[in-house]
Amino acid sequence: MILVNSGFDNDNSKYKVRPLITSSVTPDDITLVADDKLLAQVFINIVKNSVESFGKCKEDNFISMSADRNPDGRVVLSIKDNGPGMDVDTVEKIFVPFFTTKESGSGIGLSLSRQIIRIHNGNITCDSTPGKGTTVSMIF
Ligand SMILES: Nc1ncnc2c1ncn2[C@@H]1O[C@H](COP(=O)(O)OP(=O)(O)OP(=O)(O)O)[C@@H](O)[C@H]1O
Ligand SMILES: [Mg+2]
């Protein structure tokens, strides 16, 4: 949370309004054996994308993070935003190295995240609806 909020903390921040950031873990004894530094990097990449997607953040923008188990007992981590979303053609390319739609983007965040999730024997997917928002999910 400290990492996620850090870009909003000074008056010079380009983000004048903080998005609401929430998180939930259900059941609360979920454990995942992982490299915490690498996994933190993945979360930073994904949350950064959500924040960047908001552009000029509106009062009602939110990012919600959750950890739960699917019916098979596998751990699922999700990060959901209510940004502008993406069309299907864009979603298909977002994990491709160097794919970016941003003027100053490098297109590395999600391809690197996918590598990190893969070395943890996980899978990362993205579900997005234009005008509604985006959810990135990781399953282990
Ligand atoms: N939450 C999101 N909402 C809307 N578009 C997104 C979202 N996440 C990713 N994208 C799209 O996917 C593209 C690739 O994302 P990725 O993080 O790999 O690269 P980047 O953000 O452009 O650059 P970098 O992360 O290297 O600074 C983005 O340019 C953007 O078009
Ligand atoms: Mg990015």
Side-chain angles (χ1 to χ4, degrees), residues 23-93:
S23 61
S24 71
V25 180
T26 42
D28 60 13
D29 62 348
I30 283 185
T31 52
L32 182 66
V33 178
D35 184 311
D36 57 347
K37 287 203 179 74
L38 290 179
L39 217 59
Q41 189 59 60
V42 171
F43 269 74
I44 290 166
N45 292 343
I46 296 169
V47 171
K48 189 167 152 271
N49 282 342
S50 292
V51 171
E52 289 169 353
S53 85
F54 294 151
K56 207 167 172 300
C57 190
K58 296 193 287 295
E59 291 289 346
D60 63 350
N61 278 135
F62 71 79
I63 299 167
S64 60
M65 302 184 266
S66 66
D68 35 40
R69 286 187 188 280
N70 75 1
D72 301 334
R74 295 173 72 186
V75 174
V76 181
L77 306 178
S78 291
I79 300 172
K80 178 185 166 101
D81 69 56
N82 64 343
M86 291 167 265
D87 58 34
V88 273
D89 292 341
T90 306
V91 177
E92 265 179 22
K93 297 177 205 140

Side-chain angles (χ1 to χ4, degrees), residues 77-117:
L77 306 178
S78 291
I79 300 172
K80 178 185 166 101
D81 69 56
N82 64 343
M86 291 167 265
D87 58 34
V88 273
D89 292 341
T90 306
V91 177
E92 265 179 22
K93 297 177 205 140
I94 59 171
F95 295 107
V96 174
F98 310 118
F99 173 79
T100 184
T101 59
K102 298 169 192 170
E103 225 162 78
S104 57
S106 43
I108 287 177
L110 287 179
S111 64
L112 179 65
S113 298
R114 186 171 66 169
Q115 294 301 321
I116 293 171
I117 298 306

